[in-house]
Amino acid sequence: MEVVNKYVSLKHHVNGYPSESDFELATTPLQPAPGSGEVIVKNLYLSIDPYQLNRMKRYSSSHTTCPAAAQIEPGQRINANGVGRVVSSGRAELEEGDVVAGMLGWEQYTVVRPGTVLMKVDAKDLPLSCYASVLGTSGLTAFAGFYDVCKPKKGEKVFVSAASGSVGSLVGQYAKLSGCYVVGCAGSKQKVDLLKGKLGFDDAFNYKEEADLKSALRRYFPEGIDIYFDNVGAAMLEAAVANMNSFGRVAMCGAISEYTNAGERAAPDLIDIIYKRITLRGFLVLDHLHLHEQFSAATSDHLRRGRMISLEDVSVGIESVPTAFVGLFRGDNVGKKLVRVGELEG
Amino acid sequence: MEVVNKYVSLKHHVNGYPSESDFELATTPLQPAPGSGEVIVKNLYLSIDPYQLNRMKRYSSSHTTCPAAAQIEPGQRINANGVGRVVSSGRAELEEGDVVAGMLGWEQYTVVRPGTVLMKVDAKDLPLSCYASVLGTSGLTAFAGFYDVCKPKKGEKVFVSAASGSVGSLVGQYAKLSGCYVVGCAGSKQKVDLLKGKLGFDDAFNYKEEADLKSALRRYFPEGIDIYFDNVGAAMLEAAVANMNSFGRVAMCGAISEYTNAGERAAPDLIDIIYKRITLRGFLVLDHLHLHEQFSAATSDHLRRGRMISLEDVSVGIESVPTAFVGLFRGDNVGKKLVRVGELEG
């Protein structure tokens, strides 16, 4: 077997909003290296995530914090989570045709080096795309962030920002399943309708239509917020802190409104934080991998019984990766953004 | 017994920096009410604390968070921690001449109502002023904030702001006793010398002489900060977060630079907080009262063995309370600010 692999790479480091012209498509021949222990995976679904923007910057304090956040150099392959089919295996436990999920890349085929975790998935159980979304890193991020970081109690009031996004849409569903009251915010009427209709949020609002976020949250949470799952940072974090109850918890999962603009900052009132004994905690999913089994069993079960929905927004073809990525920062995606780069058969 | 009680009260709510003219002295006759269960205490040392400014404001979100933070109305007596001598007791467990510590007031005598905790202290063991400082609320705040909120490990790098203040000076000493590396900042050469000399900090600096706090902290913590005990908020919090290590913890104890100026805010970089998995936690001592016995035993022992020092700044006479309080926001005090309003004998 010898194939040509098409991959997406950066033309240059990105600062501020990304645009399609920051990326280029390149090709490289791909050859198995027998005896190397490598696995060649034909990619099916790729995960498109906002955090990748921080990796693309010329400078970010995030680059040195963990391998998953390492800087991406221009010209390099870009690793990313995904689902694929094994086309050539140097591992005893995997064979051609197996479907696997793990760290693949923004490319048609990924050569997976020994030591990189590949999880075998049952292609007949749940839709394959789930393993790059609700059952993948986004799902575990939502699960760990909500249960491990926020430690919710039944009846608590939960606010989720970017609530129709990959993580937010799942946090809201976990919160409902845990007996919490959940309100989400998003950036369009369509998204708000989805949150209230399809995803079962108790309420939702379009933050773009609110002149004063603090008053908006006071309206949606007359009894105050106990848990804020923050995906956006900036003014929304300030407004949430102002509306929190004593012993409130903020899971700092993402700050998408700050990723594109280093000058955009949240300046929450410290008097609120001190007197209301609020905890703000930054977290990364990689510190919560021990929850994977519990997460996976519970979430698969919820999906099978129809108690959870995987809201996905799928583009097709490796060429669509740049637009899919850039769209995250324009709020184009409704649900988890995925790109289908290959078909299971063929 | 009938005495005239001199007390300090507010003329009006205070916004921004307080000044002596915001206060007035008043007098009221004081009479025991037999059978009421009241205890009349002649006050000896009164605790002068920055948080009282928040109580004096016309509006602060802190007012409704706990009884100790309740708003102070003009003309009212101002309750405050202190040490005093019982002159008339309506409680079986207390008698005339006993020395007690607890919630007294900015006045010469306090009528302590049934249900208010009064702790009997041994006037022959340690200096009485200790019970309004290192063994009082400031001490427990430092102890609980450092051990319970920051959860220090031996060898960790600890930064303390307002380090020569009532709480900071103790946090630094606890940190040294726990095998940590400790750097403090303060606002004068005299204070910096005290931190390095008398209090045993590993290093200290005058923040007023640093044009760039972020670089200053990089210089003092080339290996990064593990724990930041924040007493000031604003730019110092931003600089500390920028210099923190992964899994760093910030105990949000006070924000004195924000108390006088609602426009002064900290806007720490959320990318640091998320990727370095930093936890910021606001706390109030009242949630940690269960540590009192452990705190009191350990700290008394440290004091007796000369392993800790109570750094106190004592003014004399009830008339000096307004100046003592106002001086906190000018950085006048070196160590815990106390006012001696009475003598043990007589």
Side-chain angles (χ1 to χ4, degrees):
Chain A
M1 175 195 119
E2 179 177 329
V3 295
V4 168
N5 185 24
K6 232 183 247 180
Y7 65 97
V8 175
S9 75
L10 271 185
K11 281 197 225 163
H12 40 246
H13 288 299
V14 179
N15 287 301
Y17 277 91
S19 77
E20 279 87 341
S21 63
D22 297 329
F23 299 91
E24 59 190 351
L25 253 91
T27 55
T28 179
L30 196 81
Q31 280 180 305
S36 65
E38 288 174 353
V39 177
I40 299 185
V41 176
K42 180 189 174 194
N43 296 329
L44 305 176
Y45 286 97
L46 299 178
S47 178
I48 310 293
D49 301 293
Y51 82 92
Q52 300 273 24
L53 183 62
N54 298 319
R55 301 183 62 199
M56 296 174 188
K57 294 177 182 173
R58 187 175 307 281
Y59 171 79
S60 172
S61 62
S62 57
H63 291 161
T64 53
T65 54
C66 64
Q71 189 177 32
I72 298 166
E73 290 298 339
Q76 260 186 3
R77 287 176 56 252
I78 296 172
N79 55 352
N81 278 287
V83 182
R85 178 167 58 83
V86 173
V87 292
S88 148
S89 172
R91 297 188 191 179
E93 73 277 17
L94 288 177
E95 59 184 41
E96 205 188 310
D98 281 349
V99 178
V100 290
M103 192 54 86
L104 303 170
W106 283 359
E107 56 194 348
Q108 292 175 308
Y109 293 86
T110 297
V111 177
V112 181
R113 310 241 179 285
T116 303
V117 175
L118 283 175
M119 191 186 67
K120 221 161 126 173
V121 305
D122 179 356
K124 294 195 180 63
D125 181 10
L126 289 160
L128 283 188
S129 59
C130 286
Y131 297 96
S133 59
V134 60
L135 291 171
T137 303
S138 302
L140 183 54
T141 302
F143 186 89
F146 184 63
Y147 289 109
D148 220 21
V149 176
C150 299
K151 304 204 187 305
K153 288 187 279 289
K154 198 177 158 178
E156 284 195 313
K157 314 285 183 284
V158 177
F159 175 50
V160 187
S161 55
S164 71
S166 57
V167 176
S169 62
L170 303 174
V171 170
Q173 294 183 78
Y174 285 129
K176 282 310 302 171
L177 288 165
S178 305
C180 295
Y181 178 84
V182 193
V183 178
C185 72
S188 74
K189 186 180 181 307
Q190 180 207 3
K191 292 177 181 177
V192 168
D193 289 346
L194 262 171
L195 294 176
K196 293 198 281 189
K198 208 166 168 184
L199 297 182
F201 281 60
D202 293 290
D203 215 333
F205 65 93
N206 180 350
Y207 69 90
K208 291 179 182 167
E209 286 177 354
E210 299 291 343
D212 178 352
L213 296 174
K214 221 181 269 189
S215 326
L217 287 177
R218 200 171 307 128
R219 230 164 51 233
Y220 286 98
F221 291 96
E223 292 168 51
I225 299 168
D226 298 304
I227 290 173
Y228 172 41
F229 197 99
D230 188 13
N231 293 304
V232 303
M236 195 63 86
L237 175 58
E238 293 177 18
V241 164
N243 279 283
M244 289 201 96
N245 291 329
S246 288
F247 305 106
R249 290 136 275 155
V250 181
M252 313 277 292
C253 178
I256 193 167
S257 61
E258 306 192 14
Y259 291 171
T260 48
N261 182 353
E264 184 87 33
R265 288 281 184 92
D269 190 337
L270 298 189
I271 290 184
D272 280 321
I273 294 177
I274 297 167
Y275 280 93
K276 297 196 281 187
R277 296 86 116 189
I278 294 171
T279 300
L280 298 96
R281 186 171 156 206
F283 77 100
L284 295 180
V285 65
L286 65 91
D287 300 318
H288 302 267
L289 300 181
H290 59 281
L291 294 176
H292 190 274
E293 206 176 309
Q294 184 195 344
F295 147 74
S296 181
T299 307
S300 301
D301 190 52
H302 290 322
L303 289 168
R304 286 188 207 105
R305 291 169 188 263
R307 292 190 302 219
M308 270 183 90
I309 284 168
S310 183
L311 193 66
E312 295 168 4
D313 183 328
V314 184
S315 303
V316 178
I318 188 72
E319 296 78 6
S320 68
V321 166
T323 302
F325 179 67
V326 167
L328 294 175
F329 302 93
R330 292 189 298 240
D332 289 352
N333 60 306
V334 180
K336 171 71 185 181
K337 187 69 208 176
L338 297 172
V339 175
R340 196 168 77 222
V341 291
E343 300 298 325
L344 183 57
E345 310 298 335
Chain B
M1 177 197 118
E2 180 177 328
V3 295
V4 168
N5 185 24
K6 232 184 247 183
Y7 66 96
V8 175
S9 74
L10 274 184
K11 279 196 227 166
H12 39 247
H13 289 299
V14 179
N15 288 299
Y17 278 91
S19 77
E20 280 87 341
S21 63
D22 297 329
F23 299 90
E24 60 189 351
L25 253 90
T27 54
T28 179
L30 196 81
Q31 279 180 305
S36 65
E38 290 175 353
V39 178
I40 298 186
V41 176
K42 181 189 173 193
N43 296 330
L44 304 175
Y45 287 97
L46 299 179
S47 179
I48 310 292
D49 301 294
Y51 82 91
Q52 299 274 23
L53 184 61
N54 297 320
R55 302 183 61 200
M56 294 173 189
K57 293 177 182 172
R58 187 175 308 281
Y59 171 79
S60 171
S61 62
S62 58
H63 292 161
T64 52
T65 55
C66 63
Q71 188 177 33
I72 297 167
E73 291 298 339
Q76 259 187 0
R77 288 174 56 252
I78 297 173
N79 55 350
N81 277 287
V83 182
R85 178 168 59 81
V86 173
V87 292
S88 147
S89 172
R91 298 189 191 178
E93 72 277 17
L94 288 176
E95 59 183 44
E96 203 187 311
D98 282 349
V99 178
V100 290
M103 193 54 88
L104 302 172
W106 284 359
E107 56 194 347
Q108 292 175 309
Y109 293 86
T110 297
V111 178
V112 181
R113 309 240 182 286
T116 303
V117 175
L118 283 176
M119 192 186 66
K120 222 161 125 174
V121 306
D122 179 355
K124 294 196 178 62
D125 182 10
L126 289 158
L128 283 189
S129 59
C130 285
Y131 297 96
S133 60
V134 60
L135 292 171
T137 304
S138 302
L140 183 55
T141 303
F143 187 90
F146 185 63
Y147 290 108
D148 219 22
V149 176
C150 299
K151 303 204 188 304
K153 290 187 277 288
K154 200 178 159 178
E156 284 194 314
K157 314 285 183 281
V158 177
F159 175 50
V160 188
S161 56
S164 72
S166 57
V167 175
S169 62
L170 302 175
V171 170
Q173 295 184 77
Y174 285 128
K176 283 310 300 171
L177 287 166
S178 305
C180 295
Y181 178 83
V182 192
V183 178
C185 72
S188 74
K189 186 180 181 306
Q190 181 207 3
K191 292 177 181 177
V192 167
D193 290 346
L194 260 171
L195 294 176
K196 293 199 280 190
K198 208 165 168 184
L199 297 184
F201 281 59
D202 293 290
D203 214 334
F205 65 94
N206 180 351
Y207 70 90
K208 292 180 182 167
E209 286 176 356
E210 300 291 343
D212 178 351
L213 296 174
K214 221 182 266 190
S215 326
L217 287 177
R218 201 171 306 129
R219 232 164 49 234
Y220 285 98
F221 291 95
E223 294 168 49
I225 299 168
D226 298 304
I227 289 172
Y228 173 40
F229 197 100
D230 188 12
N231 293 305
V232 304
M236 194 63 86
L237 175 58
E238 293 177 18
V241 164
N243 280 282
M244 288 201 97
N245 291 329
S246 288
F247 305 105
R249 290 136 276 156
V250 181
M252 313 278 289
C253 178
I256 192 166
S257 61
E258 305 192 15
Y259 291 171
T260 48
N261 183 353
E264 184 87 34
R265 287 281 184 93
D269 190 338
L270 298 190
I271 290 184
D272 281 320
I273 294 178
I274 295 167
Y275 280 92
K276 298 196 279 186
R277 296 85 115 188
I278 294 171
T279 300
L280 297 96
R281 186 171 156 206
F283 77 101
L284 294 180
V285 66
L286 65 91
D287 300 317
H288 302 267
L289 299 181
H290 58 283
L291 295 175
H292 191 274
E293 203 174 311
Q294 184 195 345
F295 147 74
S296 181
T299 306
S300 301
D301 190 53
H302 291 322
L303 289 168
R304 285 187 207 104
R305 291 167 188 266
R307 293 190 302 220
M308 271 184 90
I309 283 168
S310 184
L311 192 65
E312 295 168 5
D313 184 326
V314 184
S315 301
V316 178
I318 188 70
E319 295 77 7
S320 68
V321 166
T323 301
F325 178 68
V326 168
L328 294 174
F329 302 92
R330 291 189 299 239
D332 289 352
N333 59 307
V334 180
K336 172 71 186 181
K337 188 68 207 175
L338 297 172
V339 174
R340 197 168 77 225
V341 291
E343 300 298 324
L344 183 57
E345 310 298 335

